[in-house]
Amino acid sequence: MATGVVDTLQSGLQILAATLIAMGGFMAYNTFAASVLERQREFALLRTVCLTRRQVQRLALLEAFLVSLLGIVLGLLLGVGLSAAITYFNAVSLGFEFRTLVVPLRSVVLASLVGVAVSLLAGYLPARSASKTHPLAASRAVSDPSPRGAPRLGWLLLAAGVAASVAPWRGLTALFGAALAMGLLFAGFSLSTPALLKPTLRVLTPILERVFGLAGRLGSSFSLRNATRNGVAVGAVVVGMGLTIGVGAMVAGINAAIRSWVDTTIVGDLFVTAPVSFPGGFAAEVAARVPEVAEVSGVGLRIVRFIPEDTPTGRSVALILVDPERFNPASGFGRFQFIPEQGDANDAYRALSAGGQVLAANTMRDRYGVSTGDTVTLRTGDGYADFGVGGVVVDFTGGGETFVGSLRDAERFGGGTPDLFVMTVAPGADPTAARDALVGAFPELYLDVTLNQNYRARILELTQQTFTTTNGLLVLAIFIASLGVANTLGMNLSSRQHEVAVLRTLGLTQRGVRRVVTAEGIVVLVLGTLLGVLTGLLLSQVITTGASALTGYRITPVYPWRLIVIALVASPLVGLLASLVPARRAARLSPVIALGGE
Amino acid sequence: METLVKPLSVENTPQPEAALEAKGLSKRYRLGGETIVALSGLELTVPKGQFLAVMGPSGSGKSTLLHLLGLLDSADAGSVEIAGQPTASLSDDALTMLRRDKLGFVFQSFELIPNLSARENILLPAEVAGRRANAEKTLVKLASALGIEERLTHRPAQLSGGQQQRVALARALINDPVVILADEPTGNLDSHTGEEVLALFGRGVREEGWTVVMVTHDPKAALHADRIVFLRDGKLVGETLTNGAEARSTIERFVGV
């Protein structure tokens, strides 16, 4: 089980890392663009005095480069600090000593190179616009240019993104599809948000006015003023939210699949293991000595060599040997989950009873093309032998690389008695009492008996733990997006200081100014969350397909509706938090600025 | 007893009620390690219904005076009284309310909020004060008096400079202020439009009883006022009434025109 889950986690982390870098890049772009705009006069002066266009562009790019270096140093420190903290925490919680921390040099170098490249890319357009500053702009007022033709390009990218997310990607190409769709949707939303802001405001403005009064209306209409910049901020929220919902749907899908498998196949009341080998005839002894137990069924666990068609060296896979009678549709208590058109319970019983046949886990079908009616080659005690495939079932054991065979073939795989016994209790008997009776009846075996609910809980807990890390990273994505919004609001404020001062002069209180900024933050976050949820729903299929291809699990996305509702309800609150610092700054602005003072 | 503590002049010749009073105003700035005295012990009384122009070279303290009279900044010493109400010890919120209710501002570059229509801009101070309903009536009157009835639905960018300044004037008047503070109100207008706006100020003062304090460096603009005061190095150095024959020569003497 572990390898499959780790693979999924790894792929999730890679998608996440790529997206976080993209988000960082867009925020860097936003910041560079704002700072170029703010210093338009300065650049114009440089152009007037001495520098050529090329030199101005180089100057701006140099700044981007220096910023990226600073970012790398800080990022590295933060990364090492965080990983030390996480490792220490894990060490403490798992109970081993924390001694060393390995800093992966290759990752550091790679991340640094990517960081510099992304920064330069983000700085390129602002640098170009800086170089195009007309010398006369030194004496002109600063204006916020909105790129021409941006909305149309935005709609195009958006359409391409939607197409990429619903396209029928096959196998591993789905991973590429997920990344492509995410990039296109992000860029598309960033560029088309200015057009989407107006209809959004039609709905939001009356609500904000009701809550915040005039300040709410002003803030809401202010969000249109720097629509281009707010668009990128909305885009950042879209990515954070979209990723959370998309990956959340995949994770929930895996959980649902495992849960359903556990519910269907983990049948039986007691799961019994022993530190010593079970004696032959243990099942009969239990029937004789413990009246509380009704049925006893052995399970053998083996690792065998399997030779897929295109891998002559073979793979080590799990082989689970079961008692065919447990899966007798008429009388047994065991159940399998079948892949559609890959056999049913009768076929499986026939195959297991006959011996010399196996059932394949669905992962074997997805990775190695094993289907019902095929023959597979497994190494037995007498060398390689062919086994017929009687059906394909869902099984998450051993990372999904599993065959299920009959205990009647146990001799061919090293013999011995079963490693585990699954038992049901007699009608009306208490499982706990049955457990105590069983342990008491065989003191020489030191039996370890797990009740059904504990056994299930243990399996589910294992998977849950693995996904907790992913959830933490998703929260991080949303946090970074909020920081991006805070940053954007701050930049908006810089270009609107004068206006804020005029409002203060006209009689808006500090509280009123805070509310103006907060209302704008809420607009950006609510719109971002709304579009992010849509993006997440669009992306969940392609992300899940990618994860399925990578892990071999057959997963369908499960939409995390509860998460979606929480996100939508919480988004105004996050907007409020993101605007705390810029709102405070705005409130502290001196109204003197309105009259040209400093 | 009472008559003894009152100055004789007040007893004998009743002064017109003061709209605005500056008493011993001082303000210093630190700039690059140097202390700059912007105002030092300035005394100024503006009676109700007067159109006052403040003139002076750059650095004379005109802007600082306007900041202090407008309750936008606090003085190091001295005080500002608006319609007899002292303002020295008021909180930021209380000062904001006073600005909103008692002062009207007209700026050199109009300072209309670009994403609001002319109408919304004019109503803004009334809305901030929660008096929108009453203000609607005032708006109709002001718009017709200032000749902007046809432009009320337009955004600032769709208005000419003169129209924008009329909208700004209407905004300054919407809460029926005690004083209108105008900072170079014709600085961004051509001379013809500037004359029109100044004529509006003059008519308002004569017919509606407005009180206006206007900072300007333009002698022609200053001549629209009733009284001109001259500022140099943070002190009042002279003044003249504009209805006298000596007004032009006084301006020439102080401003060097």
Side-chain angles (χ1 to χ4, degrees), chain B residues 231-254:
Chain B
L231 224 62
R232 189 176 294 155
D233 300 328
K235 291 188 186 106
L236 280 188
V237 290
E239 69 173 275
T240 180
L241 295 176
T242 54
N243 55 8
E246 78 286 4
R248 277 171 200 278
S249 61
T250 315
I251 294 178
E252 269 176 42
R253 186 149 48 85
F254 283 107

Side-chain angles (χ1 to χ4, degrees), chain A residues 117-440:
Chain A
V118 168
S119 299
L120 288 181
L121 209 65
Y124 178 70
L125 279 181
R128 243 175 65 123
S129 86
S131 75
K132 281 187 182 163
T133 308
H134 196 276
L136 277 182
S139 52
R140 286 193 203 134
V142 175
S143 63
D144 185 4
S146 58
R148 263 169 289 151
R152 189 182 302 169
L153 181 64
W155 297 123
L156 271 175
L157 289 175
L158 212 54
V162 172
S165 53
V166 297
W169 301 97
R170 289 256 164 266
L172 282 172
T173 57
L175 276 183
F176 168 73
L180 183 72
M182 207 171 321
L184 286 171
L185 287 173
F186 177 54
F189 274 129
S190 293
L191 290 177
S192 52
T193 298
L196 293 171
L197 263 174
K198 271 192 184 163
T200 312
L201 290 182
R202 219 163 284 152
V203 181
L204 278 183
T205 308
I207 301 172
L208 286 170
E209 192 173 4
R210 178 161 280 228
V211 181
F212 290 146
L214 172 73
R217 204 176 78 218
L218 282 176
S220 162
S221 78
F222 271 17
S223 62
L224 271 177
R225 291 284 305 290
N226 299 93
T228 319
R229 200 182 293 151
N230 283 341
V232 179
V234 167
V237 181
V238 167
V239 170
M241 221 39 243
L243 198 71
T244 306
I245 304 274
V247 174
M250 174 200 67
V251 170
I254 295 182
N255 272 335
I258 293 180
R259 201 170 285 272
S260 134
W261 167 69
V262 164
D263 280 348
T264 317
T265 51
I266 310 297
V267 190
D269 299 314
L270 306 175
F271 297 84
V272 186
T273 56
V276 297
S277 285
F278 284 106
F282 175 70
E285 279 296 307
V286 171
R289 287 199 225 168
V290 192
E292 289 91 338
V293 170
E295 294 162 272
V296 180
S297 178
V299 178
L301 302 171
R302 302 284 187 277
I303 301 294
V304 298
R305 206 73 187 155
F306 158 60
I307 314 293
E309 268 174 15
D310 52 354
T311 320
T313 48
R315 300 264 309 167
S316 288
V317 300
L319 176 65
I320 301 171
L321 301 172
V322 297
D323 181 353
E325 285 312 312
R326 185 170 136 211
F327 295 96
N328 183 342
S331 56
F333 62 90
R335 293 287 175 270
F336 287 118
Q337 253 186 15
F338 289 90
I339 299 300
E341 291 167 35
Q342 291 293 327
D344 57 29
N346 291 315
D347 295 335
Y349 177 56
R350 253 198 310 279
L352 291 177
S353 312
Q357 294 190 43
V358 293
L359 307 176
N362 58 327
T363 306
M364 305 308 284
R365 176 172 155 74
D366 293 335
R367 286 196 190 161
Y368 308 109
V370 178
S371 303
T372 308
D374 289 357
T375 344
V376 292
T377 309
L378 301 176
R379 189 156 73 193
T380 67
D382 318 320
Y384 287 104
D386 285 347
F387 288 79
V389 176
V392 179
V393 298
V394 174
D395 198 313
F396 287 95
T397 323
E401 299 213 351
T402 307
F403 289 109
V404 179
S406 168
L407 265 182
R408 291 180 190 163
D409 292 324
E411 283 307 319
R412 301 178 69 181
F413 296 101
T417 51
D419 303 279
L420 164 77
F421 280 91
V422 185
M423 304 179 190
T424 58
V425 298
D430 173 33
T432 316
R435 178 183 65 185
D436 297 343
L438 189 64
V439 172

